[in-house]
Amino acid sequence: MQLVEELHLARSERRLEVNLVENCGELTCMDIDPQEEAPSTMLNQHKQALLIVLDTNVLLSHLEFVKKIRSHGLSGLGFPTLLIPWVVLQELDYLKSGKLSSKVEYKAKPAVHYIYSCLKNQEPRLIGQSMQQASQAACGPGVVNNDDRVLECCLQYQALYPEGALVLCTNDKNLCSKALLSGVKALSKADLVKEVEGTRSTILNYFHAHPAVPPTAGPVDKDEAEREGPPGSSAAEERQLSECVSLLESCLQGALSEVLEEEMKAAYGDLWTEIVYVKPPWSLDGLLKCFKKHWIAVFGSIIKRSLLSSVEMLSDCLCSDRSIEHRSVHSAVTLAAELLSALAGRSQYNGHVAHALSTLHMLQQRLQSLKAPVEDDDSKNEDSLMTEIEEDVAPPPLTSHQEVWALFESIWNNVCQISSALFSALHYTPGTTEPSLRSTSPLPQDALSCLQRLSTALKQLLEALQRLLSADSSVQDAQSLLSFIQSSEIAAMEPRFTARDLFDCVSQQEYREKLCVGGAQLSELYANLDHCAATLSSWP
C-alpha cells in the first residue's frame, strides 16, 4: 500500500508527467504495433476473451501474479489478454531510472525486463497500447493526469472491443472510482483473485459432481453460450484448459501441504517450523521449493530419489511464466500422479493424497476428451492419405507401454481412494492396534463387506502380479492378470491392450522395476487392510 500511495501522490503532483510522443527507455522505444492492423487482428481472433488492463502499481507489486495470468490463465475465466497502456510503459521506463524511491526502482526493473521480453518475442496474450493510439485517446476531454490516460486507454479499447469484456486491474482506489463512474469495470488485485476463487469453487464442484462424463447437451443461456464460444473454438478449449490447470494446482497444493507438514514433523519434531525452507502457509511454488530443498534429508529416504526429477519438472511447468499448452498440462498431471502414488505408499496423509489422486485421474480423462476432437480430425486427414502409403510399410503399434502403465496407475488410485474411505468409515488409522469407535457403536456393515471384498481382490491381484514378475513367467501369466483385472472392479478404466502387450511391457527393465515398487506398495496397503480386518474381528 505504501508503494501505491507513493505512485498516486506522484501522479497527482504530476512528478510522473509524460509527453505522449517522447521515447524515454526500453519499452517506449519499441515498435508496439509493427503493422497497422495488428490490434484489430488480435481482437478479432479473441472476440470472446477477457481483456485485463494493467496499471503501473499492479506490475510493480504483483509481477509474479501477472506472469501467472499470462502463462496459466485465470481458472474458469480462461486465458485473458493483458493490455499495458502506453502511459504505463512510459512510467515504468522513468521509474527504473530512479525517478522516485529506490524501492520503486528495484520493483520497476524486473517489470520492464519482463514486458520487454514478451513484446520483443511476441509472446501470446500480452499487448501494449501504441503511441499512436494513446495520442488519439488523449484528444478526449478531461485528461488531467496519468490516471486519466490509463482510463482513456480502457475506454478506447472498450470501443474497439465491444464483443469482449474489459477489466482494469489497479490497486489505486481513486482510479477505481473514476473507472466505475466512467462505465469501466475496475478491480484491485485482491478483488480479482476473489472473483477467480469464486469461479474455481464452481469448477471444483462441477468436476467432483461429473468426474468423467462431459456435460450433456441441453438448453444453454444465450449470453453464456456467446461468452464460452462454440464447443470446438479455441476460446472454449483455452478456458477448459485453464480450468484443468487450476484444478491440478489446487489438488496438488492441498496434498503436498499435508505431506510436507507430516514428514517434516516426523523428521525434526517440534523444531520443524524453524528448519523448513519456506514457512507456512505455502503456495504451490513454495511447496515445490521445500521438496527440492529437503529432498536428500527427508523425502529421498521415503520414496525413490529419482522422483526428484518429477518435482523439478512440475516446478518448471506450473511455477514458471512459460505458456501452458495441452501437452505440458497432460505431462504435469502424469508427473503429479507418479509423485503422489509413491507418497501414498508411505502414508494415508489424512486422505489428502488419495483424494488428490482421484482428482488427477478425473483430469486425465478430461484432458483426453479435450484432445479427442483434434485426434479425430487428424484421423480423417490420415484416411485421405492412405492411398499414398506403400503396402509394405508396417502400421504404427496400436498400444504403448505408457497405456499399460496407465492401467496400473488407475488401479493404484482406485484402491487408495476406496481404502481411505474405508479407514475413515471404520475410524481406523493404519499402525494403531484398534479402531477409535466406542464399544457401544455398531460397526457399519456395508464398510465391513467392502473391506472384505477389497482385501480379497488385492490378495488375488498381488498373487497374479507375483507370477507375472517371476523369472519363468509367460504370456499366459499376463493373460491371467489381465482376465482378473477385467472381471473385477479394482481398476477404474477398461484395459485396451492384449496380454502380449502387457507381457512385452513387463519385459522392459524400466517398467518391471516400477511394477515391483508398485507391488510393494500394494502389499503394504494389503497388510493395513488385513490388520484392520483382524482388529475389527477381535473387537467386542
Side-chain angles (χ1 to χ4, degrees):
M1 291 307 298
Q2 182 180 355
L3 185 148
V4 174
E5 291 174 3
E6 186 175 357
L7 285 174
H8 176 70
L9 186 62
R11 280 182 174 179
S12 301
E13 297 177 353
R14 298 195 177 186
R15 283 184 283 146
L16 287 177
E17 197 67 18
V18 293
N19 185 334
L20 287 177
V21 297
E22 179 181 355
N23 294 330
C24 49
E26 295 172 76
L27 298 180
T28 47
C29 286
M30 296 187 74
D31 190 0
I32 300 296
D33 295 315
Q35 300 177 0
E36 291 184 3
E37 69 273 17
S40 59
T41 301
M42 183 281 300
L43 294 175
N44 288 333
Q45 290 174 345
H46 300 281
K47 286 184 178 180
Q48 308 299 332
L50 170 67
L51 188 65
I52 298 181
V53 182
L54 298 174
D55 196 12
T56 306
N57 51 62
V58 173
L59 286 160
L60 296 180
S61 300
H62 308 291
L63 182 60
E64 292 304 316
F65 177 67
V66 171
K67 292 180 180 180
K68 193 80 174 287
I69 293 177
R70 193 202 66 78
S71 60
H72 290 50
L74 272 176
S75 184
L77 300 180
F79 285 81
T81 297
L82 304 179
L83 170 64
I84 304 175
W86 176 256
V87 67
V88 171
L89 297 175
Q90 288 181 303
E91 285 187 341
L92 289 171
D93 272 337
Y94 272 114
L95 293 172
K96 76 176 178 61
S97 303
K99 295 293 182 180
L100 293 182
S101 65
S102 59
K103 181 179 180 181
V104 176
E105 178 186 352
Y106 172 76
K107 294 277 189 179
K109 287 182 178 179
V112 168
H113 176 73
Y114 175 71
I115 297 168
Y116 177 81
S117 300
C118 287
L119 294 175
K120 180 181 178 182
N121 298 326
Q122 296 184 348
E123 294 285 350
R125 298 185 294 278
L126 188 143
I127 59 172
Q129 181 192 32
S130 68
M131 181 178 65
Q132 293 81 2
Q133 289 176 310
S135 299
Q136 294 170 3
C139 295
V143 178
V144 176
N145 55 31
N146 290 356
D147 273 0
D148 301 321
R149 293 187 173 96
V150 173
L151 183 53
E152 285 295 321
C153 174
C154 296
L155 293 170
Q156 182 183 53
Y157 269 78
Q158 273 191 341
L160 287 170
Y161 194 34
E163 298 183 43
L166 183 144
V167 174
L168 169 62
C169 186
T170 177
N171 289 328
D172 189 325
K173 293 182 179 179
N174 187 57
L175 179 53
C176 273
S177 298
K178 283 185 177 181
L180 293 171
L181 289 172
S182 301
V184 175
K185 184 170 183 178
L187 296 170
S188 66
K189 182 262 182 180
D191 288 338
L192 181 58
V193 171
K194 286 181 181 178
E195 286 217 356
V196 174
E197 290 298 328
T199 308
R200 177 184 294 180
S201 64
T202 303
I203 296 163
L204 288 170
N205 292 336
Y206 171 81
F207 270 108
H208 288 298
H210 310 274
V213 183
T216 56
V220 180
D221 181 74
K222 181 179 178 182
D223 294 336
E224 183 178 353
E226 291 177 353
R227 185 167 59 250
E228 289 288 343
S233 69
S234 59
E237 291 173 0
E238 284 187 346
R239 184 184 301 275
Q240 293 180 60
L241 187 60
S242 178
E243 292 172 1
C244 290
V245 173
S246 177
L247 187 56
L248 166 62
E249 292 178 341
S250 178
C251 78
L252 193 58
Q253 182 177 347
L256 293 184
S257 295
E258 191 72 20
V259 172
L260 178 59
E261 182 173 348
E262 183 171 319
E263 294 301 340
M264 291 298 292
K265 285 181 179 178
Y268 300 107
D270 294 337
L271 295 176
W272 76 273
T273 53
E274 303 297 326
I275 297 171
V276 68
Y277 183 58
V278 178
K279 310 303 180 189
W282 297 291
S283 64
L284 180 58
D285 184 33
L287 284 164
L288 294 173
K289 285 179 179 178
C290 287
F291 270 74
K292 288 188 285 185
K293 182 68 174 179
H294 301 293
W295 189 262
I296 295 178
V298 179
F299 300 102
S301 61
I302 62 175
I303 56 177
K304 291 190 299 182
R305 293 201 173 191
S306 59
L307 286 173
L308 175 59
S309 61
S310 297
V311 176
E312 292 171 338
M313 286 187 282
L314 282 169
S315 178
D316 182 56
C317 178
L318 299 176
C319 303
S320 68
D321 59 353
R322 294 189 308 157
S323 295
I324 287 292
E325 298 176 350
H326 184 281
R327 181 176 298 179
S328 59
V329 177
H330 190 275
S331 174
V333 171
T334 303
L335 291 169
E338 184 178 9
L339 176 63
L340 293 183
S341 294
L343 288 167
R346 159 77 172 179
S347 166
Q348 296 297 315
Y349 298 108
N350 295 320
H352 286 77
V353 171
H355 178 72
L357 284 169
S358 176
T359 302
L360 291 174
H361 177 60
M362 297 176 198
L363 276 176
Q364 287 175 324
Q365 294 180 323
R366 180 71 171 176
L367 289 167
Q368 288 173 359
S369 68
L370 283 178
K371 195 66 175 177
V374 178
E375 291 172 351
D376 290 343
D377 291 341
D378 291 342
S379 64
K380 292 178 182 178
N381 293 334
E382 289 170 3
D383 289 342
S384 65
L385 298 174
M386 284 301 292
T387 55
E388 302 176 15
I389 301 176
E390 297 182 6
E391 293 182 358
D392 59 346
V393 176
L398 298 177
T399 188
S400 67
H401 298 330
Q402 288 84 357
E403 291 178 33
V404 176
W405 185 248
L407 176 69
F408 288 108
E409 286 184 336
S410 170
I411 292 173
W412 173 250
N413 295 343
N414 195 39
V415 167
C416 283
Q417 185 180 6
I418 296 172
S419 59
S420 177
L422 280 174
F423 291 148
S424 177
L426 296 170
H427 291 248
Y428 176 82
T429 302
T432 59
T433 57
E434 61 181 19
S436 57
L437 284 171
R438 296 179 180 178
S439 58
T440 56
S441 303
L443 291 172
Q445 294 302 313
D446 54 344
L448 289 173
S449 176
C450 183
L451 173 64
Q452 183 179 4
R453 294 199 308 271
L454 179 60
S455 182
T456 301
L458 263 184
K459 181 180 180 181
Q460 294 174 350
L461 175 65
L462 287 168
E463 290 173 350
L465 274 175
Q466 187 175 6
R467 288 195 298 270
L468 182 59
L469 292 172
S470 63
D472 57 346
S473 63
S474 65
V475 177
Q476 185 60 43
D477 295 315
Q479 182 60 59
S480 299
L481 175 58
L482 196 58
S483 298
F484 167 74
I485 293 172
Q486 290 171 328
S487 62
S488 69
E489 299 178 356
I490 203 165
M493 59 186 291
E494 287 292 328
R496 299 181 179 178
F497 48 83
T498 66
R500 169 55 67 179
D501 296 325
L502 174 58
F503 185 75
D504 290 343
C505 177
V506 177
S507 299
Q508 299 292 319
Q509 184 65 22
E510 174 191 358
Y511 290 97
R512 192 177 188 85
E513 290 178 356
K514 291 171 71 174
L515 198 56
C516 286
V517 173
Q521 294 170 349
L522 284 172
S523 295
E524 184 177 348
L525 181 57
Y526 171 71
N528 285 328
L529 290 168
D530 192 48
H531 186 266
C532 177
T535 303
L536 292 172
S537 64
S538 60
W539 186 55

